[in-house]
Amino acid sequence: MGCPSKGATGGGIVTTRVRLLVGTTKGLFSFESDAQRRDWTTSGPHLGGWEVYSALGDGHQGDRILTGTSHMAFGPSVRVSENGGGNWSQIPEGPSYSAESGFTLNRVWQIVPGHPSEPDTLFAGVEEAGLFVSRDRGATWAELDALTKHPTRAGWFPGAGGMCLHTILIHPDNPQRMWVGISAVGVFRTDDGGETWRTCNEGLARVPVGTPHPEVGYCVHKMVLNPDDPNTLYMQYHQGVFQSNDGAESWFPIENGLPGDRISAELGAPFGFPIAVSRSGDLFLFPLESSEQRTMRDGRLIVYGMRRGSDRWEPVGDVVPDEPRHVSVLRDALTIDSLEPYGVYFGTTSGEVFYSVDGGVAWDRMPGQFGRILCVKTWIQEDQDAA
Amino acid sequence: MPLEVRIPPMLRDCTSGQTRFSITANTLEEALRRLFESYPLLRVHMYDETQRLRQHVLIFFNGESVAWLDRLDVPVRSGDQLTILQAVSGG
């Protein structure tokens, strides 16, 4: 089982390093292993005292890590390390709204790389909701302001976590097409690289935000893109789990096998925050008790999965079968690596990190307990030694 | 006239690792201007995009919040202190 941590290529020996970047309310922690992912070393806290809502191991830049840091008093910033977390500096020209816009940037919820054909491009999703782009690997940032100038902007309303742009998806074959998710506003799509945007919420039930714009008011929690078909997207929504087969033109529920019932007022539609997809097309999520309670059902930390080709969710792993965990997993705190077999990782609101390398059936816990876990991101590095 | 500046340790990466240092100014207004000229990374943590002082940040001049001063062209004297604090209410 497992892929080798070292492999020979024509150019020498390739060593795979697996890193897990875990952002918490009190700094960033890094876990490192080889491709076997059995033994891990921990470092941190990096950026102690700062909330780390987003983290990106920049694959194009050696040991470069970018983070979206924020603090209740001292506001947001983007901080970067060029040596894997050894030293950090604040980017002087980080994302910032213009004074004329009237918006204020509170947190950086998401930092993602641009299309592979644009290796110097990064995107950042922020709260108060907006999208920023960097064309120089994060040194300077500019707002793609067509989004915040959208005609529906006056009707945007925050979810419980703030009005955050938390999801950025880029079409793998067409860098001009992107999707973003904003709570509790909805899904927007651009087909011209951010020059124009349109809402993509057909089939979703509007949440009661109390604003008059019917095109918005949709509480998308997290979206992922099917790795083989960029017209297919999956979404954990406030009221259910949805799929689109037409590039988000329309959505339909995929809840077969999940606890919850969209017909029953008592049970309610399946509620949760994160959703993740493997490169092979397997989906994972965590059904929570309800919108009101937002903790694991009956205190059991159970991962649900829908295997590729199936149309049914199943409880694939009971993570801590002998102990209750009345916790939640936040929208960016579940992720899957790109190795084979793939690893699944998540962090809880009570600060524990769990991982599985067998498709989510058996789980191990990283040593240590941390602050509330805000994001979990994998970073696979291939180091090539001379032959 | 030299003025002692104190900043929270969390922000020392904006001030070359220092939490206490001196700047020279004739007035409080000039001191604030020089502080942000010398350490521009500090500004984003003090003020939002609309240049409002962040809600939970306090700037004290000799133990008094500058928000309560009528004017900032106050002369700086030897031994004066400018302190940046996180406003705390409750536990």
Side-chain angles (χ1 to χ4, degrees):
Chain A
M1 286 290 290
C3 55
S5 59
K6 290 187 176 179
T9 72
I13 303 295
V14 175
T15 303
T16 300
R17 282 193 293 159
V18 181
R19 279 209 250 185
L20 196 65
L21 302 175
V22 176
T24 78
T25 50
K26 297 295 178 186
L28 177 79
F29 294 83
S30 175
F31 302 87
E32 185 170 339
S33 185
D34 58 20
Q36 303 296 330
R37 293 156 292 173
R38 291 201 185 98
D39 301 311
W40 296 84
T41 57
T42 310
S43 70
H46 307 284
L47 303 166
W50 291 94
E51 299 174 329
V52 180
Y53 267 73
S54 50
L56 172 68
D58 187 350
H60 301 296
Q61 297 297 311
D63 262 357
R64 191 164 207 238
I65 305 173
L66 291 108
T67 57
T69 53
S70 47
H71 186 270
M72 182 271 290
F74 301 126
S77 52
V78 172
R79 283 178 154 78
V80 62
S81 172
E82 304 288 353
N83 56 3
N87 303 95
W88 295 87
S89 59
Q90 181 178 324
I91 288 179
E93 297 180 63
S96 179
Y97 284 115
S98 68
E100 299 73 36
S101 73
F103 304 131
T104 55
L105 200 155
N106 304 314
R107 292 183 173 112
V108 180
W109 277 73
Q110 193 86 169
I111 303 175
V112 301
H115 190 270
S117 65
E118 301 172 343
D120 292 340
T121 295
L122 300 170
F123 293 98
V126 306
E127 169 199 344
E128 142 178 36
L131 181 65
F132 287 76
V133 64
S134 169
R135 301 294 185 189
D136 53 12
R137 306 171 186 167
T140 60
W141 295 81
E143 190 200 356
L144 290 174
D145 64 359
L147 188 60
T148 47
K149 290 178 177 170
H150 195 270
T152 61
R153 180 61 184 83
W156 295 13
F157 193 82
M163 193 163 72
C164 51
L165 193 157
H166 52 68
T167 300
I168 305 166
L169 301 174
I170 302 167
H171 193 289
D173 305 322
N174 175 13
Q176 296 297 298
R177 173 171 283 197
M178 299 170 60
W179 298 264
V180 299
I182 304 174
S183 291
V185 180
V187 179
F188 291 80
R189 193 180 85 195
T190 178
D191 291 311
D192 52 18
E195 294 291 320
T196 59
W197 296 86
R198 64 191 186 86
T199 54
C200 290
N201 302 304
E202 186 180 324
L204 304 174
R206 198 161 178 253
V207 293
V209 293
T211 63
H213 296 268
E215 312 97 303
V216 292
Y218 298 90
C219 195
V220 51
H221 285 182
K222 196 65 190 175
M223 286 188 302
V224 291
L225 202 53
N226 183 302
D228 294 326
D229 176 9
N231 280 321
T232 299
L233 297 92
Y234 308 99
M235 175 198 292
Q236 172 69 65
Y237 189 64
H238 190 96
Q239 297 156 313
V241 181
F242 289 82
Q243 179 175 334
S244 171
N245 290 336
D246 52 14
E249 298 283 349
S250 62
W251 299 89
F252 58 90
I254 49 166
E255 297 163 358
N256 191 11
L258 287 176
D261 178 354
R262 65 177 47 252
I263 310 271
S264 159
E266 184 179 346
L267 292 173
F271 183 90
F273 283 100
I275 186 168
V277 64
S278 73
R279 278 174 66 169
S280 58
D282 296 342
L283 289 161
F284 294 90
L285 52 70
F286 291 92
L288 299 181
E289 191 73 54
S290 64
S291 171
E292 290 76 20
Q293 295 191 40
R294 303 187 178 206
T295 54
M296 296 295 156
R297 288 178 175 255
D298 302 318
R300 295 185 65 195
L301 187 44
I302 294 179
V303 183
Y304 276 67
M306 182 189 283
R307 302 299 184 192
R308 176 180 177 157
S310 174
D311 64 353
R312 183 173 181 80
W313 295 94
E314 294 179 0
V316 295
D318 192 343
V319 179
V320 194
D322 301 327
E323 294 178 17
R325 288 292 190 281
H326 295 279
V327 301
S328 181
V329 178
L330 300 181
R331 74 187 84 225
D332 249 328
L334 168 67
T335 193
I336 300 174
D337 70 29
S338 57
L339 298 178
E340 179 59 43
Y342 60 77
V344 187
Y345 311 83
F346 72 89
T348 69
T349 51
S350 64
E352 294 177 293
V353 181
F354 297 94
Y355 65 99
S356 167
V357 289
D358 68 352
V361 178
W363 291 85
D364 285 305
R365 178 180 178 275
M366 296 288 190
Q369 188 158 7
F370 311 96
R372 180 181 174 90
I373 291 174
L374 304 170
C375 68
V376 176
K377 301 291 176 182
T378 58
W379 184 18
I380 309 296
Q381 292 175 287
E382 308 248 309
D383 300 328
Q384 183 147 343
D385 302 326
Chain B
M1 193 67 66
L3 175 85
E4 184 185 48
V5 180
R6 299 180 181 188
I7 67 155
M10 278 188 70
L11 301 180
R12 68 174 144 211
D13 65 346
C14 304
T15 52
S16 307
Q18 307 167 93
T19 56
R20 290 188 183 196
F21 50 91
S22 291
I23 55 175
T24 300
N26 292 317
T27 66
L28 172 59
E29 188 173 32
E30 183 185 358
L32 289 167
R33 190 178 70 249
R34 290 200 169 190
L35 175 64
F36 296 123
E37 284 173 355
S38 302
Y39 304 106
L41 295 180
L42 204 53
R43 176 177 279 280
V44 70
H45 301 295
M46 305 289 103
Y47 299 94
D48 67 18
E49 291 94 327
T50 61
Q51 301 310 309
R52 282 181 305 213
L53 187 66
R54 294 188 180 279
Q55 184 179 8
H56 295 283
V57 172
L58 296 172
I59 301 175
F60 272 39
F61 180 59
N62 295 331
E64 185 175 4
S65 172
V66 299
W68 297 101
L69 299 177
D70 293 330
R71 46 199 296 174
L72 296 178
D73 58 348
V74 182
V76 170
R77 299 185 181 85
S78 178
D80 281 352
Q81 290 184 344
L82 188 65
T83 307
I84 294 168
L85 290 169
Q86 173 184 338
V88 176
S89 57

